[in-house]
């Protein structure tokens, strides 16, 4: 009876794919939404520019939803559309409809970038914006059984969130200021690369910190847009920056492949080759492909080339035997049989030789399998040096700055996290390669702390635990996700509802252009802050001006002036060559975040100096930073050198440290860090921005 009930439900008009899925999944069985999506991705791996195909290799998607029949999931997704505009529910429309009516699905797909990519494909396919396909007057299908029973537990309010529907609105692409931050990052990174290009040195590793679901992947996509060369007629990209090659590497999806270096090299090669062809650099793309073919051939020569050589030798011997004439009078039956078998054996030998050659090519030139890499490790003398040499040659053949986005590392096992980071610092240590590790810093910290637990007490330094030390050595720059204030978000949503989408887009674009012109001539941070103080009185317009200020703050002239300003703090830094460079980088990032969210912290020169003191303190003693974030009222104990008995032993040592007192009190360089200013700085949620920072102790 239950199966009959399911089959009698009236379904919306479905595409052939969804009809097939509906039958395959058995409508009498209740399944989670993730199972439906996974089967759909396997049928259409091309969705979202191929991202669906990557997910299709997973056994399960980490989406927690209730279980429903396939009929119910289809009806729920269909409920959001206008039947007059959408005649048939297809796979992409199903994904969007399901996401708009289920927050768990939307959160996961949006975090990995698939949701918005599918929206773009839907709009291109239907030649109309998504919001024109929706019917805001229809009551969406309930998201849960509690909703069906009359209890409103669904976060879906009956009208789709406008921020996911206005996909081509500049303010939405900007993600409330994040694009300005991404553009400034792209400018800094391009300048770092230009300045270090002529110097043989190490790779550059940047850490993007944020909790799960904070939008790290979205920020990486914005950064990618400003690293790639600008296409003709497009506003995206940087027309003055070097033409970067941007590589996406999902650590979570690759962690089961061994050896780990193989999948990273393979991903870099494929991405670089494809992008060089797309950018019209066919000569360099061919050079990269030739290098890769030679590498694959060399990596398998010890086994397969021996087999090929043996087959060819056999073939040549039989060929010579075929053309050898027996002595006159040899009429025995054995000789006759041998003569008859010669052509057959020759043909068999020839085919064997050809087959062996094909196997060599298939296994070494085309397969690129992890198993081939494992065999290479076992049969090659000094394999790691060979890998290192090949990677160096590959990057030199690409002859472009390479940015590798390593995403989802905070979902990987500790063994893989440590191994991959160590390989980046050793095997893949090339000055033309930049890496951005997107991960919650607490995950990375715990991985190193647990792996090297035996050394924890002997290696730790005051204010720096073992996990901190590893992260400090691994990353040249740490960046926290920028967060927008509630007031700015509310102003954005109010603005979004004011009119038609085209009008909104044009108004925001006009305001952005005006703000860019306003800040274009600024050449120092003092001038920048003075202009920024002149509020327009409109929350959203002020935010647009802040974004323009962030972009300008990355200009080389302002960085030169900033470096000069920071020199007076050199006496408060550690006595090593990297310290001043780390301060310039960290302060530049802190300043950009403050401009976007708390610009008032930068207007007063005394407060600005205390801003620098807090940056230095965070860099040098992450444990102290964590402690004061929780108890800012204890600042006096550190500035005076008088700890109280309630402090942990490790924190007491810091309170008694003359060096800590020097930094907090400014050591005659500037005004001491005060508790009132500290509390304001703590409102600037940087998430442990300073290089080497880690989670609370």
């Amino acid at each position: 009876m239950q199966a009959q009930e399911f089959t009698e439900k009236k379904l919306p008009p479905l595409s052939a794919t969804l009809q097939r899925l509906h039958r395959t999944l058995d409508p009498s069985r209740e399944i989670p939404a993730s199972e439906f999506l996974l089967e759909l991705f396997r049928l259409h791996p091309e969705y979202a520019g191929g991202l669906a195909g990557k997910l299709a290799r997973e056994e399960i998607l980490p989406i927690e939803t209730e279980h429903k029949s396939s009929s119910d999931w289809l009806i729920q997704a269909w409920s959001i559309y206008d039947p007059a505009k959408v005649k048939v529910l297809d796979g992409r429309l199903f994904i969007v409809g399901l996401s708009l009516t289920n927050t768990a699905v939307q959160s996961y797909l949006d975090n990995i970038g698939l949701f918005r990519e599918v929206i773009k494909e839907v709009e291109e396919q239907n030649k109309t914006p998504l919001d024109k396909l929706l019917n805001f007057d229809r009551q969406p299908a309930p998201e849960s059984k509690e909703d069906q029973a009359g209890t409103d537990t669904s976060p879906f309010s009956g009208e789709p969130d406008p921020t996911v529907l206005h996909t081509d609105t500049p303010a939405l692409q900007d993600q409330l200021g994040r694009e300005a931050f991404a553009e400034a990052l792209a400018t800094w990174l391009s300048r770092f690369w230009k300045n270090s290009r002529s110097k043989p040195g190490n790779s550059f590793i940047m850490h993007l910190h944020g909790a799960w679901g904070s939008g790290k992947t979205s920020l990486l996509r914005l950064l990618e847009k400003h690293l790639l060369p600008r296409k003709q007629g497009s506003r995206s990209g940087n027309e003055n920056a070097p033409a970067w090659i941007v590589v996406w590497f999902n650590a979570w999806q690759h962690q089961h492949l061994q050896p780990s270096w193989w999948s990273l090299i393979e991903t870099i090669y494929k991405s670089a080759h494809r992008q060089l062809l797309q950018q019209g650099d066919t000569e360099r793309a061919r050079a990269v492909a030739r290098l890769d073919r030679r590498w694959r051939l060399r990596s398998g020569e010890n086994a397969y080339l021996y087999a090929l050589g043996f087959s060819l030798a056999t073939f040549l011997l039989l060929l010579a035997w075929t053309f050898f004439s027996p002595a006159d009078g040899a009429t025995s039956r054995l000789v006759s049989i041998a003569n008859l078998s010669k052509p057959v054996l020759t043909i068999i030998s020839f085919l064997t030789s050809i087959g062996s050659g094909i196997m060599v090519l298939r296994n070494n030139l085309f397969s690129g399998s992890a198993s081939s890499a494992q065999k290479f490790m076992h049969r090659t003398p000094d394999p790691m040096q060979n890998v290192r040499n090949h990677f160096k040659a590959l990057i030199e053949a690409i002859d472009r700055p390479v940015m590798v986005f390593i995403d989802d590392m905070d979902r990987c096992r500790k063994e893989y996290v440590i191994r991959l980071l160590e390989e980046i610092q050793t095997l893949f240590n090339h000055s033309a390669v930049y890496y951005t590790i997107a991960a919650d810093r607490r995950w990375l910290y715990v991985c190193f702390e647990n792996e090297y637990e035996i050394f924890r007490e002997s290696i730790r330094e005051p204010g720096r635990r073992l996990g901190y030390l590893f992260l400090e050595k691994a990353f040249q720059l740490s960046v926290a996700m920028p967060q927008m204030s509630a007031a700015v978000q509310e102003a954005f949503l109010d603005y979004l509802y004011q009119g038609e989408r085209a009008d909104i887009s044009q108004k925001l674009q006009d305001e952005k252009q005006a703000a860019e012109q306003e800040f274009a001539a600024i050449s120092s941070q003092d001038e920048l802050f003075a202009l920024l103080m002149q509020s327009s009185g409109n929350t959203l317009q002020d935010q647009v001006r802040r974004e323009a200020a962030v972009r300008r703050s990355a200009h080389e002239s302002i960085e030169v002036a900033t470096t000069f300003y920071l020199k007076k703090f050199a006496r408060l830094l550690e006595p090593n060559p990297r310290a001043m460079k780390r301060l310039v980088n960290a302060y530049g990032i802190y300043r950009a975040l403050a401009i976007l969210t708390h610009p008032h912290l930068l207007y007063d020169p005394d407060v600005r100096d205390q801003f620098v003191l807090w940056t230095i303190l965070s860099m040098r003693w992450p444990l102290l930073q964590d402690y004061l974030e929780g108890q800012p009222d204890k600042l006096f104990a550190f500035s005076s050198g008088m700890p109280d008995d309630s402090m942990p032993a490790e924190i007491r040592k810091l309170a008694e440290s003359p060096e800590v007192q020097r930094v907090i009190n400014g050591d005659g360089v500037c005004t001491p860090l005060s508790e009132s200013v500290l509390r304001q700085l703590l409102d600037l949620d940087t998430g442990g921005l300073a290089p080497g920072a880690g989670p609370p102790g």
Side-chain angles (χ1 to χ4, degrees):
M1 289 298 294
Q2 188 176 17
Q4 181 67 20
E5 179 187 347
F6 279 105
T7 57
E8 288 177 353
K9 288 188 176 180
K10 184 177 181 180
L11 293 175
L14 303 176
S15 66
T17 294
L18 291 185
Q19 290 180 30
R20 175 183 171 186
L21 266 181
H22 177 57
R23 292 191 300 268
T24 303
L25 293 172
D26 183 6
S28 66
R29 185 171 64 93
E30 292 191 339
I31 59 173
S34 58
E35 183 175 339
F36 200 127
L37 288 171
L38 200 54
E39 292 301 324
L40 179 58
F41 294 157
R42 287 167 180 162
L43 289 176
H44 286 283
E46 75 280 5
Y47 283 179
L51 184 55
K54 295 180 180 179
L55 293 177
R57 295 195 291 266
E58 300 297 325
E59 294 183 3
I60 188 171
L61 298 179
I63 308 174
E64 294 186 5
T65 65
E66 67 168 333
H67 289 57
K68 294 184 179 182
S69 68
S70 58
S71 303
D72 286 334
W73 288 124
L74 291 166
I75 293 170
Q76 177 173 318
W78 173 251
S79 67
I80 198 67
Y81 293 109
D82 184 350
K85 304 284 183 61
V86 178
K87 303 299 184 183
V88 175
L89 184 68
D90 62 20
R92 289 187 175 93
L93 289 168
F94 171 78
I95 294 171
V96 173
L98 184 62
S99 299
L100 291 176
T101 56
N102 189 290
T103 52
V105 172
Q106 180 181 332
S107 177
Y108 174 73
L109 297 184
D110 194 32
N111 189 45
I112 62 175
L114 186 143
F115 180 46
R116 294 183 185 278
E117 288 299 318
V118 172
I119 288 179
K120 292 177 184 178
E121 293 174 354
V122 166
E123 293 185 331
E124 291 174 2
Q125 175 181 297
N126 291 275
K127 307 293 191 235
T128 187
L130 175 63
D131 53 351
K132 302 298 183 183
L133 303 176
L134 304 179
N135 187 347
F136 297 150
D137 296 327
R138 292 182 73 191
Q139 178 64 37
E143 183 174 331
S144 65
K145 291 180 178 178
E146 287 77 6
D147 297 334
Q148 295 173 1
T151 304
D152 185 13
T153 61
S154 171
F156 187 73
S157 63
E159 182 169 317
D161 179 358
T163 61
V164 299
L165 306 181
H166 291 71
T167 53
D168 62 350
T169 303
L172 180 67
Q173 293 178 351
D174 211 351
Q175 298 209 14
L176 300 173
R178 287 182 176 178
E179 184 165 10
F181 186 71
E183 187 173 344
L185 268 181
T187 302
W188 285 321
L189 292 169
S190 295
R191 186 158 60 247
F192 294 163
W193 180 80
K194 285 181 178 179
N195 293 340
S196 63
R197 187 180 185 186
S198 59
K199 307 171 187 175
N202 299 331
S203 57
F204 187 93
I205 309 176
M206 180 174 73
H207 172 220
L208 177 61
H209 162 66
W212 285 4
S214 60
K216 297 187 293 296
T217 303
S218 298
L219 183 60
L220 290 181
R221 293 191 182 281
L222 292 172
L223 179 57
E224 175 188 33
K225 185 172 77 170
H226 291 286
L227 288 175
L228 293 175
R230 178 176 296 179
K231 297 179 181 178
Q232 187 174 5
S234 172
R235 293 172 178 168
S236 301
N238 193 332
E239 58 186 352
N240 299 317
W244 287 77
I245 297 296
V246 178
V247 179
W248 285 85
F249 183 83
N250 189 292
W252 182 55
Q253 294 179 2
H254 287 91
Q255 69 172 327
H256 300 293
L257 297 176
Q258 297 298 329
S260 53
W261 57 260
W262 169 83
S263 55
L264 184 57
I265 289 183
E266 184 79 357
T267 303
I268 292 174
Y269 160 69
K270 289 181 178 178
S271 298
H273 185 258
R274 183 183 68 253
Q275 290 177 47
L276 288 171
L277 289 175
Q278 291 173 346
Q279 296 172 15
D281 197 345
T282 54
E283 187 61 35
R284 189 168 283 120
R286 292 194 189 101
V288 169
R290 286 195 298 269
L291 177 70
D292 184 72
R293 285 195 295 269
R294 289 197 298 269
W295 156 254
R296 293 179 191 276
L297 187 61
R298 286 198 305 270
S299 67
E301 63 184 356
N302 291 338
Y304 295 107
L305 291 185
Y306 287 155
L308 178 61
F310 178 78
S311 299
L312 287 175
T314 304
F315 167 69
L316 292 174
L317 287 173
L318 288 173
L319 190 65
W321 185 30
T322 301
F323 289 98
F324 177 75
S325 298
D328 292 341
T331 58
S332 68
R333 180 176 298 180
L334 181 61
V335 172
S336 299
I337 293 174
N339 288 335
L340 289 173
S341 65
K342 286 178 184 179
V344 176
L345 292 174
T346 301
I347 293 173
I348 293 174
S349 176
F350 176 73
L351 293 177
T352 302
S353 301
I354 295 298
S356 298
I358 292 173
M359 287 295 293
V360 170
L361 294 175
R362 185 176 68 83
N363 283 282
N364 294 286
L365 299 183
F366 305 118
S367 70
S369 65
S371 59
S372 297
Q374 291 173 344
K375 294 174 183 176
F376 165 76
M377 292 285 290
H378 291 298
R379 64 175 175 251
T380 305
D382 196 4
M384 291 297 93
Q385 185 59 46
N386 278 274
V387 173
R388 191 178 296 111
N389 293 340
H390 169 64
F391 183 73
K392 185 174 184 294
L394 175 63
I395 299 304
E396 290 174 352
I398 294 172
D399 195 26
R400 299 273 188 88
V402 177
M403 169 61 78
V404 183
F405 291 145
I406 300 182
D407 203 3
D408 280 346
M409 189 175 275
D410 50 6
R411 298 171 65 184
C412 297
R413 301 187 309 273
K414 68 173 183 177
E415 296 82 7
Y416 182 79
V417 169
I418 294 169
R419 183 169 62 251
L420 185 59
L421 284 176
E422 289 178 345
E423 287 178 349
I424 289 173
Q425 293 178 285
T426 54
L427 291 178
F428 306 130
N429 191 13
H430 192 282
S431 58
V433 183
Y434 281 46
Y435 301 89
T436 299
I437 312 293
D440 188 326
R441 64 189 172 94
R442 294 168 297 183
W443 189 283
L444 303 181
Y445 167 85
V446 171
C447 286
F448 280 100
E449 190 81 1
N450 290 343
E451 179 68 16
Y452 296 99
E453 184 176 7
I454 189 175
F455 303 108
R456 182 184 299 178
E457 296 303 323
S458 59
I459 295 181
R460 72 192 305 171
E461 298 176 3
R464 291 174 172 174
R465 291 181 176 173
L466 186 61
Y468 296 132
L469 296 174
F470 273 108
L471 297 186
E472 180 181 318
K473 297 298 182 184
F475 303 129
Q476 282 85 354
L477 181 65
S478 289
V479 178
M481 287 293 300
Q483 304 296 328
M484 294 300 102
S485 67
V488 172
Q489 294 185 43
E490 289 175 7
F492 169 74
L493 292 176
D494 289 342
Y495 195 72
L496 199 61
Y497 280 116
Q498 288 176 7
E500 291 295 324
R501 184 162 75 169
D503 296 336
I504 296 171
S505 300
Q506 188 57 52
K507 287 178 183 178
L508 287 175
Q509 190 60 40
D510 292 344
E511 290 178 2
K512 292 178 73 171
Q513 289 179 354
E516 294 292 338
Q517 294 174 3
E518 184 181 10
F519 286 87
I522 299 299
S523 59
S524 73
Q525 67 170 359
D526 288 332
E527 296 175 2
L528 189 79
F529 300 148
L531 184 58
L532 197 58
M533 288 175 64
Q534 302 172 16
S535 172
S536 67
N538 180 289
T539 304
L540 196 60
Q541 289 177 357
D542 282 346
Q543 183 64 23
V544 170
R545 295 179 73 248
R546 292 175 187 176
E547 295 169 16
V550 167
R551 293 185 178 93
R552 188 62 189 175
S553 71
H555 193 270
E556 189 169 7
S557 62
I558 293 184
E559 183 172 309
V560 171
T562 300
T563 303
F564 181 79
Y565 159 69
L566 292 174
K567 281 184 178 179
K568 68 180 183 179
F569 297 95
R571 59 196 290 183
L572 301 177
L573 299 174
E574 295 174 282
N576 67 66
R578 295 179 57 203
M580 178 55 73
K581 184 179 295 185
R582 290 178 60 224
L583 176 61
V584 172
N585 292 343
Y587 174 75
I589 300 296
Y590 266 122
R591 181 180 61 192
L593 291 173
I595 290 173
L596 284 173
T597 59
H598 296 73
H600 64 278
L601 294 174
L602 303 168
Y603 297 157
D604 186 323
D606 285 342
V607 176
R608 195 185 313 153
D609 286 346
Q610 294 177 64
F611 192 111
V612 178
L613 293 182
W614 177 245
T615 303
I616 295 172
L617 185 147
S618 302
M619 290 168 52
R620 296 191 62 178
W621 301 288
L623 275 181
L624 178 56
Q625 173 198 16
D626 295 333
Y627 184 80
L628 289 175
E629 284 177 351
Q631 302 186 63
D633 58 304
K634 300 289 187 181
L635 179 65
F636 177 75
F638 296 92
S639 62
S640 63
M642 295 187 297
D644 60 51
D645 295 336
S646 65
M647 293 180 175
E650 196 168 17
I651 298 300
R652 285 180 58 87
K653 290 181 181 179
L654 291 175
E656 296 167 350
S657 167
E659 194 67 16
V660 171
Q661 295 170 38
R662 284 183 63 238
V663 173
I664 294 178
N665 291 318
D667 196 31
V669 174
C670 65
T671 305
L673 177 62
S674 68
E675 182 182 333
S676 61
V677 170
L678 174 60
R679 290 182 181 276
Q680 294 181 65
L681 293 173
L682 294 180
D683 288 337
L684 177 64
D685 182 14
T686 59
L689 174 67

